[in-house]
Amino acid sequence: GGEENQRPMDLFRDSWITQRDWDLMADFELNVIRLPFIYSLIEDDSNPYHLRDDAWEYLDYAIAQAEARGMYVILDLHGAAGSQGREAHSGCANRNWFWDGGNGQTAGYYQDRTIWLWQQIAKRYKHRKAVAAYGLLNEPWGTDAATLAAFIDRLYTAVRAVDRKHIIVLPGHNSGID
């Protein structure tokens, strides 16, 4: 069930980047850390368009740790709702609902959820100086260049409507994005 499924994820996240890791990164004089995350860290997957009760716990922690050490973070959406490619790094191997639709939903449903999610993120972090950039969609291999470019334009515009300050990282492969 959902609660039992969440337990190992919480265990993983609680030990993934610890204070010791942040200290080591500072000792190595790193100044920018890319933070990959999946949509379900923030959005309640069983209740779409709603934040989890603990939505900001892990990102807030990471940003605070970076901030305390004079570092910056790049928030990188590694896995969007529906998975933006068939690779496991997007949240679910062999799934491409983000572009093709699935589970009784259209592709637009998953894309609209991603736009909503990024607007929540931008609202939350638009004033945080330690946030250097937003990586809008990591390795979206699951579609053609024209479809990707059209969606990224929509997503970019939606994020800019909330936060005009932070750098936005766009996908560079197969994109046709100018």
Side-chain angles (χ1 to χ4, degrees), residues 24-144:
L24 285 170
M25 290 185 279
D27 289 346
F28 288 137
E29 298 182 9
L30 300 178
N31 64 351
V32 179
I33 308 299
R34 181 175 172 240
L35 293 175
F37 64 95
I38 189 167
Y39 76 98
S40 59
L41 180 70
I42 300 167
E43 183 184 11
D44 183 348
D45 202 27
S46 63
N47 193 13
Y49 295 103
H50 290 87
L51 298 173
R52 292 169 45 112
D53 290 340
D54 61 349
W56 307 111
E57 177 182 348
Y58 293 102
L59 291 182
D60 282 356
Y61 168 79
I63 292 166
Q65 293 298 314
E67 209 164 39
R69 292 164 178 78
M71 299 171 160
Y72 297 94
V73 298
I74 298 171
L75 301 179
D76 177 56
L77 183 59
H78 223 69
S83 298
Q84 71 272 20
R86 290 176 179 82
E87 298 81 16
H89 68 74
S90 67
C92 188
N94 300 314
R95 180 181 290 169
N96 193 30
W97 296 349
F98 188 87
W99 301 111
D100 298 340
N103 197 31
Q105 302 293 338
T106 66
Y109 168 78
Y110 297 105
Q111 293 168 14
D112 289 347
R113 281 176 61 186
T114 299
I115 289 169
W116 174 85
L117 180 72
W118 268 112
Q119 288 181 318
Q120 305 315 300
I121 295 166
K123 283 177 197 172
R124 176 87 175 179
Y125 296 121
K126 68 182 177 179
H127 298 298
R128 291 298 291 267
K129 292 179 182 174
V131 175
Y134 304 136
L136 296 184
L137 197 60
N138 181 70
E139 298 180 10
W141 294 106
T143 194
D144 61 83

Side-chain angles (χ1 to χ4, degrees), residues 3-4 7 9 27 32 111 113 127 133 148 162:
E3 217 171 279
E4 183 58 26
R7 193 178 62 75
M9 288 306 297
D27 289 346
V32 179
Q111 293 168 14
R113 281 176 61 186
H127 298 298
L148 175 58
V162 176

